[in-house]
Amino acid sequence: MNGAKALWATLANHGISTVFGYPGGAIMPVYDALTFYPEVRHVLTRHEQGAAHAAEGWAKATGELGVCMATSGPGATNLVTGLADAMLDSVPLLAITGNVASHLMGTDAFQEADITGITLPITKHNYVVRDVAELPRIVAEAIRIARSGRPGPVLVDIPKDIQLAPYHGDIPAPHARPEIPAPSPESIERACELLRGAKKPVMMVGGGSLDAAAEITALARAWDIPVITTLMGLGTFPASDPLWLGMPGMHGSVAANRAISEADVLLGLGLRFDDRVTGRVSGFAPHAAIIHVDLDAAEIGKIVRTHVPVRGDAAQAARLLAEGAQPPARAEWRAQLDAWKARTETPSHWGAGSAVKAVVDRLRPDDLLSSDVGQHQMLAAQLARFEKPRRWINSGGLGTMGFGLPAAIGAGMAEPGVRSVVIAGDGGFQMTAQELATLKMYDIRNVKICIINNSYLGMVRQWQELFHEKRYSEVWLGDSNPDFVKLADAYDVPAYRASTAEELPGAIDAWLADPRSALLEVVVPHEHGVFPMVPAGAALSEMIETEPARPGAPTPEASEA
Amino acid sequence: MTPEQPTPDHLLSILVRDEPRVLTRITALFGRRGYNIKSLSVGTTEHPGVSRMTIVVSGDRGVVEQAMRQLEKLHDVVKIIDHSLEKYVDRELVLVKVAINPETRVEVRQIAEDFRSRIVDVGRHALTFEVTGDEGKITAFIEQLRPFGILETMRTGRIALTRGSNADIPAHVYHPGETQTLQPVLSAEPREERAREVPNLF
């Protein structure tokens, strides 16, 4: 057995069933050894970035480790965006890269890049394997690090000679997951004490709570506390529950942002108070005592002042907090929240908002919904009604355009029986459109792509409109966009198009009814914005609730003419 | 804290696995988050596979807390000691080359003697001294010599050990002979301690 075979044997021993990757010179021994391990499926994407995002999609849908693979140099650097994305969204990801032979490392050899140096700030940890005897142990340790505590990406770089060197050792079994220390009883007691005295409490849950949905739902009901789910936490609390207030932050709901601004106690679970959530930090939850539950001690007190820090797992903490529940009557607070909730706008006119709504309204609770990055992402986050966690696959922290399609493929392959819908924009879709070939190659049948085409880089255009006096600099794509239906056809992916509100329902029906993966292009008016919106640097209470009127400017409908 | 006030210094000992790039990892973390390292010394310890860094970082309490928590997350970090929380001894070695002439030679030598400094090089127009001590002593020594004309100085950066008979690396953290059996960062206990220290601003 050589190092390359030892790598596959270790991955197989760890239950890795699927690896997304792309071969190249410095990883050829690994691809050669792959032919001896039919128990591991390798998915050939059309770009290493696609492989990384597909592995992320897999991990985000299942909570299990995603694995991607690339060769040295350009292959490895193409993984960088995916690794940074996984780092910011705490996604368990293992990246394997080949590298030039050990004796060539550091000599600027052909296709050599210092990938461990490059990825040092965007991985949880990384390794260069310098001795084949260490290879399986390092891979096992990398998997443990990626999955344990706050998950994240780990990269293992393997020089070509190490892949070829003979290996005589054992193949390691998976590490047991380390026990997570329970939150201190004292911190739980202090949190309960605050909640008992709270007149206007609110709970905010983030991506660190995805596997604590049941406990959090029980906690919210036990204390009768309304729940806000961040972009990363959508689905952790059922949208159908009357206690749900929506998403907070820059494009958050009126109810969520008003509740944060008025609350006297804010209980945050598994979130990191991202600037897109807080707005101007000094104006965030100005009246609230903040209880922050997080596994990662470095997050507590990092951004917002914390009154009661609770270090621990969200599920454990929620269970302990629910045990102390003594809900006081808070009729006034509920009435206030209900009044704010009533102001949730549903898009009425034809545009990106109503198009996204028409699509997300057709989702079933088990369906996966991925998004790319931009206006359609915020619209989907605002309008989709998630009942379960791990159904919403999106690039939150890094905001990676091009994430949607490969992530939906990864998620769809993880759950082949489930519909994997992706909403993309015309800009982001073109960043990884080549992954349509991956759909065709593996005959993936459950990925449903919806492109909301407004012929603009819509979110940038919206900011230029609001903050740069409508100088629309380099955001117009309309004259150069491809014919998306023809493009899909070229990849042998069935495609549909709707350009009016009247056409849309029929097109959605045909698109979803197609037994294969299919694409739907929805052509919408150019100049719609996403609202509510909190301008960057403003406090949540300074939210712009509805799209401002444009005096003298053509209406979106007129501009279509 | 207003910008005019000088930010206090904090003395940290960081015990790390002796692996390639560990120094880069630590300094990159400080650099990315904008924490300024004032002094850094690294050396081996009595345990094979474990190196010890002493870092002086300036910033208010919150900055240092955040730096320590970020450091703790690094796989290579075995333990972090914030010396402001306990009694410690610290030293720094400094070489100072000072200008002399026939009139000042005796006086300079006398100052050096008072500071228990050794002469390590003698030139016709300069003497080079070696001095060890804590920050106060070294600063005072340099200030005393400054009027004569300091030609060059080189400082090693501060190093520190906790006072008392306990070792900073607990026996359970490291098992000799197996470099890979280092336990992951610390026990949960000290981290909980720190978590409780988040300032209460109410």
Side-chain angles (χ1 to χ4, degrees):
Chain A
M1 180 183 276
N2 62 17
K5 284 186 179 172
L7 167 68
W8 288 114
T10 306
L11 293 176
N13 238 14
H14 280 73
I16 306 299
S17 64
T18 305
V19 172
F20 301 89
Y22 204 101
I27 200 164
M28 280 171 64
V30 169
Y31 277 84
D32 183 48
L34 171 65
T35 57
F36 295 88
Y37 290 86
E39 62 267 44
V40 186
R41 168 177 58 166
H42 180 274
V43 177
L44 178 71
T45 56
R46 287 304 178 277
H47 189 288
E48 291 86 351
Q49 185 183 356
H53 293 326
E56 280 190 275
W58 177 288
K60 286 188 180 209
T62 60
E64 296 301 324
L65 184 79
V67 185
C68 58
M69 191 170 275
T71 189
S72 65
T77 55
N78 280 344
L79 291 178
V80 165
T81 304
L83 291 168
D85 194 278
M87 187 69 178
L88 279 188
D89 285 351
S90 305
V91 179
L93 190 73
L94 174 68
I96 305 281
T97 49
N99 211 330
V100 299
S102 304
H103 72 278
L104 291 173
M105 284 178 86
T107 67
D108 304 322
F110 177 66
Q111 291 198 331
E112 187 200 355
D114 175 14
I115 195 61
T116 39
I118 290 167
T119 59
L120 196 132
I122 52 162
T123 49
K124 207 174 160 189
H125 194 61
N126 63 24
Y127 299 85
V128 181
V129 182
R130 294 177 187 279
D131 178 353
V132 70
E134 298 272 273
L135 194 158
R137 181 196 60 73
I138 286 177
V139 171
E141 189 172 274
I143 291 171
R144 176 179 63 76
I145 293 172
R147 294 165 64 189
S148 61
R150 179 177 175 178
V154 180
L155 180 137
V156 180
D157 193 35
I158 312 176
K160 194 170 182 180
D161 56 317
I162 304 288
Q163 299 167 34
L164 290 166
Y167 178 75
H168 304 294
D170 297 331
I171 298 302
H175 290 268
R177 291 214 190 191
E179 289 252 329
I180 299 166
S184 78
E186 183 195 322
S187 63
I188 295 290
E189 181 42 47
R190 283 179 63 190
C192 285
E193 204 178 285
L194 264 183
L195 290 172
R196 274 193 288 273
K199 291 191 169 59
K200 298 175 177 180
V202 64
M203 192 153 117
M204 196 154 104
V205 296
S209 296
L210 289 174
D211 294 326
E215 290 84 355
I216 280 170
T217 305
L219 168 64
R221 288 174 183 158
W223 280 95
D224 191 30
I225 302 179
V227 180
I228 294 166
T229 43
T230 71
L231 179 72
M232 300 309 297
L234 287 171
T236 305
F237 190 77
S240 58
D241 194 296
L243 284 171
W244 188 64
L245 299 182
M247 179 173 79
M250 182 171 275
H251 291 292
S253 69
V254 172
N257 284 346
R258 291 265 180 275
I260 292 167
S261 301
E262 289 290 315
D264 59 357
V265 174
L266 188 150
L267 167 58
L269 288 119
L271 80 166
R272 57 187 182 85
F273 295 103
D274 180 88
D275 57 277
R276 287 296 194 262
V277 163
T278 61
R280 190 176 72 241
V281 172
S282 61
F284 177 77
H287 313 295
I290 291 175
I291 306 163
H292 189 183
V293 179
D294 209 297
L295 193 58
D296 182 354
E299 289 303 339
I300 296 176
K302 187 179 84 174
I303 306 290
V304 298
R305 69 207 185 287
T306 305
H307 192 213
V308 179
V310 182
R311 181 156 178 264
D313 170 62
Q316 275 194 49
R319 208 177 302 119
L320 292 169
L321 289 169
E323 281 171 16
Q326 295 174 16
R330 301 190 196 100
E332 253 178 72
W333 183 229
R334 285 298 291 274
Q336 176 68 79
L337 294 168
D338 288 342
W340 285 328
K341 270 175 87 170
R343 286 158 78 175
T344 308
E345 291 211 5
T346 47
S348 51
H349 50 254
W350 170 241
S354 51
V356 168
K357 187 159 192 333
V359 172
V360 298
D361 280 352
R362 292 289 300 271
L363 292 178
R364 300 175 296 221
D366 283 329
D367 285 352
L368 293 152
L369 178 63
S370 305
S371 84
D372 216 272
V373 167
Q375 288 185 319
H376 63 276
Q377 173 193 28
M378 289 299 118
L379 289 166
Q382 288 176 343
L383 297 168
R385 293 290 173 261
F386 296 99
E387 294 293 313
K388 296 175 168 187
R390 296 205 177 281
R391 299 297 88 185
W392 169 236
I393 317 285
N394 94 119
S395 168
L398 200 65
T400 306
M401 286 177 72
F403 174 85
L405 174 60
I409 291 173
M413 292 187 96
E415 299 188 26
V418 171
R419 210 156 60 184
S420 179
V421 177
V422 51
I423 295 184
D426 48 318
F429 178 76
Q430 289 179 77
M431 288 195 176
T432 49
Q434 73 280 0
E435 300 306 337
L436 288 172
T438 309
L439 281 183
K440 177 180 159 101
M441 181 170 178
Y442 297 94
D443 195 20
I444 299 164
R445 293 182 164 259
N446 59 341
V447 175
K448 299 289 180 183
I449 305 152
C450 172
I451 299 175
I452 305 291
N453 181 359
N454 63 358
S455 303
Y456 265 120
L457 299 178
M459 191 59 97
V460 186
R461 190 211 57 77
Q462 179 172 343
W463 282 47
Q464 289 176 343
E465 177 186 336
L466 293 172
F467 312 120
H468 297 271
E469 297 174 328
K470 298 192 182 182
R471 288 184 294 274
Y472 293 165
S473 177
E474 302 295 325
V475 289
W476 173 248
L477 306 178
D479 300 327
S480 54
N481 267 338
D483 180 325
F484 288 106
V485 171
K486 279 190 190 163
L487 180 71
D489 188 48
Y491 284 102
D492 195 21
V493 171
Y496 304 84
R497 179 183 286 131
S499 304
T500 63
E502 292 68 39
E503 285 172 13
L504 186 60
I508 291 176
D509 285 340
W511 170 60
L512 291 177
D514 200 299
R516 298 172 57 194
S517 289
L519 182 144
L520 168 67
E521 180 193 8
V522 187
V523 180
V524 296
H526 302 316
E527 301 203 347
H528 272 229
V530 183
F531 292 90
M533 177 181 192
V534 178
L540 295 188
S541 55
E542 293 156 14
M543 174 174 42
I544 306 166
E545 290 188 26
T546 51
E547 184 142 17
R550 298 192 182 94
T555 61
E557 286 71 19
S559 74
E560 274 299 278
Chain B
M1 181 167 292
T2 58
E4 292 81 38
Q5 282 178 289
T7 50
D9 286 348
H10 298 265
L11 187 61
L12 305 179
S13 279
I14 306 172
L15 296 158
V16 295
R17 292 165 195 260
D18 187 11
E19 304 260 344
R21 247 194 252 280
V22 66
L23 182 62
T24 314
R25 264 182 222 287
I26 304 271
T27 51
L29 188 151
F30 277 81
R32 182 169 98 78
R33 296 188 186 266
Y35 312 141
N36 188 28
I37 294 177
K38 291 185 73 174
S39 141
L40 167 69
S41 356
V42 189
T44 55
T45 66
E46 70 285 11
H47 293 296
V50 180
S51 293
R52 184 170 181 126
M53 297 183 182
T54 312
I55 292 187
V56 180
V57 56
S58 58
D60 59 28
R61 187 74 222 153
V63 165
V64 176
E65 280 281 342
Q66 180 60 214
M68 287 174 63
R69 290 181 189 175
Q70 296 291 347
L71 285 169
E72 275 190 342
K73 294 202 287 182
L74 297 181
H75 180 68
D76 288 324
V77 172
V78 177
K79 183 172 180 176
I80 305 166
I81 300 142
D82 179 355
H83 289 292
S84 68
L85 301 176
E86 47 205 312
K87 291 183 174 152
Y88 64 94
V89 283
D90 73 312
R91 288 291 181 273
E92 185 170 12
L93 170 65
V94 185
L95 295 176
V96 187
K97 191 184 284 180
V98 62
I100 51 161
N101 56 44
E103 288 81 52
T104 60
R105 173 184 290 268
V106 175
E107 197 182 343
V108 168
R109 293 185 78 121
Q110 185 57 49
I111 291 169
E113 210 168 285
D114 294 346
F115 279 87
R116 295 197 185 103
S117 170
R118 291 202 309 137
I119 297 176
V120 291
D121 187 52
V122 180
R124 281 192 63 189
H125 303 293
L127 292 175
T128 303
F129 297 103
E130 162 200 310
V131 57
T132 58
D134 62 18
E135 204 178 20
K137 176 182 167 184
I138 288 165
T139 307
F141 181 61
I142 290 173
E143 287 311 312
Q144 287 293 311
L145 293 181
R146 197 180 293 282
F148 301 98
I150 289 174
L151 301 173
E152 275 186 298
T153 61
M154 178 60 210
R155 314 173 68 136
T156 59
R158 290 163 75 184
I159 56 170
L161 281 181
T162 311
R163 282 187 187 274
S165 52
N166 61 311
D168 285 332
I169 308 178
H172 72 267
V173 169
Y174 179 74
H175 306 286
E178 300 169 59
T179 54
Q180 300 311 328
T181 54
L182 288 173
Q183 302 290 303
V185 186
L186 291 189
S187 63
E189 192 187 331
R191 286 207 268 186
E192 284 294 333
E193 283 295 317
R194 281 196 280 280
R196 278 197 289 275
E197 277 167 31
V198 171
N200 177 358
L201 302 177
F202 288 82

